[in-house]
């Protein structure tokens, strides 16, 4: 996949360890000018080549092709500082391969993360992607390890609410390691059999969320995830030793119309907006906060 700035190999980067997380050290390439953008695009190209040469992408293609109807557009939440964070950069490189595989033009992919630097925003625009300005993601995950918590330098920063309706168009939501409330909000914003059947969500396994949470907490705080469990199909991305932290617990989810129509009418009648007032571990920042 070619882009402005090219997918050329770049020189090796210096790295340092901070509290058990790998994070890249800033140097002259961290400038916000055109040279810095080109360097970042080269490093994205390196990440793309790694995904291809490792066999991880080839092993993942079956999962991303599992939904019967490929989406026509994409919304990406919570990517984080891919200029500094290797995990975020690999996730972006995977997204670019995914768009190419599904034949979704980059111009039909919109991203939001308030943590993006000017250089990162310029790189995304050079790739032909669109940035969302409206604060519709979660309280940030930490770089590389997929941990929930406030972001630091190099990690995902506070994000949006994720209340984004697909408006009848086939839409891929790319949300690797986002918070449970964000997935819940996306479901609520598209809460009908017709709308959900148009969605594909790549993110934390819904089955894993069900297994890790007490039933009463899942049903109280994340009711839309709880209600859709019988109407969702999911396929996990393959495990690979090089990307255990980058794509751990990540699945492709889709919602077959026939399964959704088998759910009771009461499931669809309740459409109260999630507010999370009793949630002690809220992983999103809401509008106005």
């Amino acid at each position: 996949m070619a882009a402005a700035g090219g997918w050329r190999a770049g020189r090796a980067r210096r790295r340092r360890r901070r509290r058990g997380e790998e994070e890249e050290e800033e140097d002259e390439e961290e400038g916000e000018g055109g040279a810095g953008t080109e360097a970042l695009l080269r490093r994205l190209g390196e990440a793309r080549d790694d995904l291809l040469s490792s066999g991880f992408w080839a092993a993942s293609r079956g999962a991303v092709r599992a939904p019967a109807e490929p989406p026509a557009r994409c919304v990406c939440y919570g990517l984080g500082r891919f200029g500094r964070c290797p995990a975020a950069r690999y996730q972006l490189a995977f997204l670019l391969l995914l768009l190419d595989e599904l034949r979704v033009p980059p111009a039909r992919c919109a991203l939001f993360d308030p943590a993006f630097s000017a250089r990162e925003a310029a790189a995304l625009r050079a790739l032909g992607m669109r940035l969302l300005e409206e604060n519709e993601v979660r309280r940030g995950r930490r770089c590389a390890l997929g941990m929930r918590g406030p972001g630091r330098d190099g990690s995902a920063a506070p994000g949006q609410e994720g209340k984004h309706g697909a408006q009848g168009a086939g839409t891929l939501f790319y949300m690797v390691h986002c918070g449970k409330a964000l997935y819940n909000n996306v479901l609520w914003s598209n809460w009908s059999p017709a709308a959900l059947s148009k969605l594909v969500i790549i993110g934390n396994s819904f089955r894993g969320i069900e297994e890790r949470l007490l039933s009463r907490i899942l049903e109280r705080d994340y009711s839309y995830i709880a209600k859709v469990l019988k109407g969702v199909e999911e396929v996990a991305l393959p495990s690979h030793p090089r990307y255990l932290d980058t794509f751990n617990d990540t699945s492709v989810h889709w919602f077959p119309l026939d399964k959704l129509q088998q759910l009771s009418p009461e499931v669809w009648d309740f459409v109260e907006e999630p507010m999370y007032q009793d949630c002690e571990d809220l992983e999103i920042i809401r509008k106005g906060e």
Side-chain angles (χ1 to χ4, degrees), residues 62-64 66-67 200-212 225 228-237 249-256 259:
V64 302
V200 177
I201 298 176
I202 297 182
N204 289 3
S205 166
F206 284 13
R207 302 298 176 191
I209 293 173
E210 180 186 25
E211 292 170 1
R212 289 189 294 269
I225 296 177
V228 86
L229 287 172
K230 292 182 179 179
V232 65
E233 296 281 352
E234 100 174 44
V235 175
L237 292 188
D249 194 42
T250 302
S251 290
V252 181
H253 307 80
W254 69 101
F255 309 87
K259 293 191 71 170

Side-chain angles (χ1 to χ4, degrees), residues 97-109:
L97 288 168
L98 177 62
L99 295 176
D100 192 45
E101 175 74 13
L102 299 178
R103 299 183 180 180
V104 176
R108 293 186 181 177
C109 182

Side-chain angles (χ1 to χ4, degrees), residues 76-259:
C76 173
Y77 290 141
L79 185 63
R81 292 298 309 276
F82 60 91
R84 292 178 174 177
C85 178
R89 188 155 56 252
Y90 277 104
Q91 289 163 7
L92 176 55
F94 188 94
L95 174 59
L96 293 169
L97 288 168
L98 177 62
L99 295 176
D100 192 45
E101 175 74 13
L102 299 178
R103 299 183 180 180
V104 176
R108 293 186 181 177
C109 182
L111 304 91
F112 181 87
D113 197 314
F116 290 150
S117 68
R119 184 174 65 101
E120 289 162 338
L124 293 171
R125 293 190 183 99
L127 290 166
M129 307 172 95
R130 184 167 59 91
L131 296 178
L132 291 172
E133 297 182 2
E134 172 69 10
N135 182 32
E136 294 171 1
V137 153
R138 79 261 93 86
R139 206 160 248 128
R141 59 176 171 77
R142 294 186 180 178
C143 172
L145 299 182
M147 297 172 62
R148 306 320 190 259
R152 297 193 320 247
D153 287 347
S155 68
Q160 57 197 164
E161 287 190 273
K163 294 176 179 177
H164 184 101
Q167 300 176 339
T171 304
L172 165 67
F173 284 89
Y174 188 74
M175 307 163 56
V176 180
H177 296 323
C178 286
K180 295 180 289 294
L182 184 58
Y183 301 111
N184 198 57
N185 283 352
V186 168
L187 293 173
W188 169 78
S189 299
N190 297 277
W191 196 246
S192 73
L196 286 178
S197 67
K198 301 285 188 181
L199 266 56
V200 177
I201 298 176
I202 297 182
N204 289 3
S205 166
F206 284 13
R207 302 298 176 191
I209 293 173
E210 180 186 25
E211 292 170 1
R212 289 189 294 269
L213 277 184
L214 294 174
S215 296
R216 62 179 179 83
I217 300 298
L218 180 63
E219 293 171 3
R220 183 194 70 188
D221 295 336
Y222 312 106
S223 61
Y224 292 95
I225 296 177
K227 290 188 289 187
V228 86
L229 287 172
K230 292 182 179 179
V232 65
E233 296 281 352
E234 100 174 44
V235 175
L237 292 188
S239 178
H240 191 286
R242 190 180 299 181
Y243 311 111
L244 290 178
D245 293 330
T246 306
F247 295 104
N248 64 304
D249 194 42
T250 302
S251 290
V252 181
H253 307 80
W254 69 101
F255 309 87
L257 184 59
D258 58 342
K259 293 191 71 170

